Amino acid sequence: MTGSSSALGQERAAVARACRRLGAEGLLIGTAGNVSVRVEDRVAITATGAVLAELTDDQVTVVDLDGNVVAGRLRPTSELDLHLGVYHRYGAGAVVHTHAPMATALSCVLDELPCIHYQLLALGGSVRVAPYATFGTPELADSVLTALQGRSAALMASHGALTHAPTLDKAVEHALLLEWACGVYQRAAALGTPRVLDEHQQLAVVEAALARNYGTTHPVPPVQEGNR
């Protein structure tokens, strides 16, 4: 490993921590799923066959953007090409793929998760379901990459979910948000037909979020002398 070896060591540890968090949140089970983060022209990615909820730093392998192993003792995940495809096509900083229960359940019955709550706009709006293909195949990678167009999340038919983001923390948050939204949809659908936000309503949310810098904390302005 050259150049960014210390950073990659930190990122390998970060990938392991992310997997353990996702496992604790119930989004990962056993060896199913994979997580990666990019540092310049290197990618730290989970090894195939590792128990993700108990992942250790040495179970994270480092590859270049062509998929060649440059550090680590273990073979990378079988979904390596999918992760690399997301980096090449969308310039992501991190990728999270899970078999989260609610997301996987909806991937078995929906063609698209509609925008039923404004928080889905953080993922780009409605979440497409990529057509089924066998895991680890070019067909699956192509299917998911197409579903991700203009989005930071996709469901994978009868398989699971994938999110990406500029940072690993944000990709994990996207995965948690997607699982929450899938749960909301499932509960709403059990009660009736879920309402979907139309384009006007979605635009209004975006405008309000920009105007209020939504999602960040704001200090209380200092009290002016004349207003005491």
Side-chain angles (χ1 to χ4, degrees):
M1 200 180 334
T2 60
S4 56
S5 59
S6 61
L8 281 166
Q10 294 172 3
E11 296 308 320
R12 291 172 82 178
V15 167
R17 284 196 304 273
C19 288
R20 295 194 296 269
R21 181 187 177 193
L22 289 164
E25 296 279 1
L27 272 66
L28 296 174
I29 181 169
T31 63
N34 27 79
V35 175
S36 70
V37 64
R38 177 179 176 176
V39 180
E40 298 176 355
D41 61 348
R42 297 288 187 264
V43 173
I45 190 164
T46 51
T48 188
V51 177
L52 298 173
E54 303 170 359
L55 202 74
T56 57
D57 301 7
D58 63 351
Q59 293 174 311
V60 180
T61 300
V62 179
V63 301
D64 63 22
L65 291 176
D66 292 322
N68 301 304
V69 174
V70 298
R73 301 176 297 104
L74 303 174
R75 283 193 302 139
T77 172
S78 60
E79 300 293 5
L80 175 61
D81 287 346
L82 174 54
H83 285 248
L84 294 178
V86 176
Y87 292 124
H88 284 296
R89 186 176 299 189
Y90 297 112
V95 177
V96 170
H97 165 46
T98 74
H99 295 184
M102 198 57 68
T104 302
L106 293 193
S107 80
C108 296
V109 297
L110 295 182
D111 294 322
E112 181 178 81
L113 172 65
C115 189
I116 59 168
H117 192 284
Y118 65 83
Q119 282 192 273
L120 274 169
L121 294 173
L123 304 177
S126 60
V127 178
R128 303 183 189 100
V129 180
Y132 180 79
T134 305
F135 75 91
T137 61
E139 292 78 13
L140 177 64
D142 289 344
S143 175
V144 176
L145 291 173
T146 298
L148 283 171
Q149 184 67 44
R151 302 289 190 271
S152 55
L155 296 176
M156 303 157 70
S158 301
H159 185 155
L162 184 140
T163 61
H164 70 84
T167 68
L168 182 55
D169 285 345
K170 182 59 71 172
V172 169
E173 291 301 324
H174 283 348
L176 293 168
L177 172 58
L178 178 57
E179 181 70 354
W180 171 83
C182 288
V184 170
Y185 180 90
Q186 187 272 339
R187 291 175 177 86
L191 298 171
T193 302
R195 286 189 290 268
V196 177
L197 299 181
D198 61 30
E199 289 187 16
H200 176 75
Q201 291 168 325
Q202 293 181 39
L203 179 60
V205 169
V206 173
E207 292 173 345
L210 291 173
R212 301 176 188 180
N213 201 14
Y214 182 80
T216 61
T217 58
H218 305 277
V220 176
V223 177
Q224 302 295 319
E225 278 299 321
N227 295 331
R228 294 193 179 199

